[in-house]
Amino acid sequence: MPKVLTIEDDAVTAREIVAELQSRGNQVDWVDNGREGLARAVGGGYDAITLDRMLPELDGLALVTSLRRAGVQTPVLMISALSDVDERVRGLRAGGDDYLTKPFAPDEMAARVEVLLRRQQAAARATLLRVGDLVLDLIERSARRGDKGLELLPIEFRLLEFLVRNSGQVLTRTMIFEAVWGYHFDPGTNVIDVHIGRLRKKVDPPALSPLIVTVRGSGYMLVEAPPC
């Protein structure tokens, strides 16, 4: 269920927004001032935000600017009675993703939020790599297999990312070394085998089917299921 934050100081408008979004299957939280809205937006893990332009304590422009400076990329639909072009441009340049003027039709508001949610979901998929039950989050630089998080060192994450991006392909030691370490492979070193061994202990515990396969005489391959 998508989670939406509505920041709106007018109770009538807020109830209208909340009711319409909830009727479309969203979980909606409402706050009525900019300062609390900013705190919620930064820490609440929302999928989208509807943001009134004129708010007490902290106005909408300052709020969305603070969000973007803090690195929060949650999509924001700005809603305002200020309808001139300059105001819309200011809202978008401050970090808003869309701009809707009051008065508005609730179904149009909800449709615009749905577009933002679809974009957010597409962006999230683009930052996740999956092979079977193995998932890498490229933004958080984290990995999990099934429900279990994997504690990886930075070099182990880079190594696993290269294997996942090239799953199903045989990767030679030279290919791995130059892609992950970034310089020419020394055939006399066993650094790749050492790191693959450590990675296997984390990715392929005894209870699970192994994903990292040794291709004798060639290198390594990451597979979705072990070969028959």
Side-chain angles (χ1 to χ4, degrees):
M1 179 183 294
K3 189 178 178 182
V4 181
L5 175 64
T6 290
I7 309 173
E8 169 64 61
D9 64 325
D10 181 75
V12 173
T13 302
R15 284 195 291 267
E16 191 174 65
I17 293 172
V18 170
E20 185 67 25
L21 292 177
Q22 286 180 336
S23 73
R24 295 171 182 257
N26 301 287
Q27 176 186 335
V28 188
D29 295 334
W30 167 43
V31 296
D32 63 3
N33 68 83
R35 195 166 301 281
E36 183 181 356
L38 178 60
R40 288 285 199 96
V42 169
Y46 292 96
D47 300 299
I49 297 167
T50 70
L51 174 63
D52 187 30
R53 169 67 174 82
M54 306 297 289
L55 290 166
E57 300 189 28
L58 185 69
D59 70 52
L61 279 182
L63 192 155
V64 74
T65 299
S66 297
L67 275 183
R68 299 315 185 215
R69 286 177 177 169
V72 177
Q73 297 303 315
T74 308
V76 174
L77 171 62
M78 300 195 72
I79 301 176
S80 177
L82 303 174
S83 59
D84 62 87
V85 173
D86 287 345
E87 278 299 329
R88 293 199 298 272
V89 169
R90 287 182 69 194
L92 296 172
R93 283 181 171 168
D97 297 273
D98 196 0
Y99 196 101
L100 181 65
T101 57
K102 297 178 181 179
F104 57 85
D107 56 348
E108 181 185 1
M109 177 277 304
R112 289 174 181 249
V113 171
E114 288 170 4
V115 169
L116 295 182
L117 288 170
R118 285 199 299 270
R119 290 177 186 168
Q120 181 79 341
Q121 290 162 0
R125 286 194 295 271
T127 63
L128 297 178
L129 299 179
R130 299 176 185 269
V131 175
D133 61 352
L134 176 66
V135 180
L136 272 64
D137 187 318
L138 303 182
I139 299 298
E140 295 184 356
R141 308 301 289 176
S142 62
R144 69 177 188 274
R145 182 157 185 202
D147 296 328
K148 183 180 179 182
L150 306 178
E151 295 185 8
L152 302 179
L153 298 173
I155 189 64
E156 293 171 342
F157 187 91
R158 293 199 299 273
L159 176 55
L160 184 57
E161 179 183 350
F162 183 65
L163 293 173
V164 169
R165 286 187 183 278
N166 296 278
S167 62
Q169 302 179 44
V170 177
L171 302 173
T172 67
R173 289 172 174 80
T174 299
M175 292 166 63
I176 295 170
F177 200 89
E178 293 182 353
V180 178
W181 277 264
Y183 50 92
H184 186 68
F185 176 61
D186 177 1
T189 181
N190 69 341
V191 66
I192 292 174
D193 304 290
V194 170
H195 280 86
I196 287 285
R198 292 173 179 168
L199 193 58
R200 270 185 166 142
K201 291 179 181 179
K202 299 178 180 182
V203 175
D204 294 334
L208 297 177
S209 299
L211 300 181
I212 301 173
V213 176
T214 300
V215 181
R216 191 175 298 276
S218 297
Y220 298 97
M221 179 169 60
L222 190 133
V223 296
E224 185 165 343
C228 298

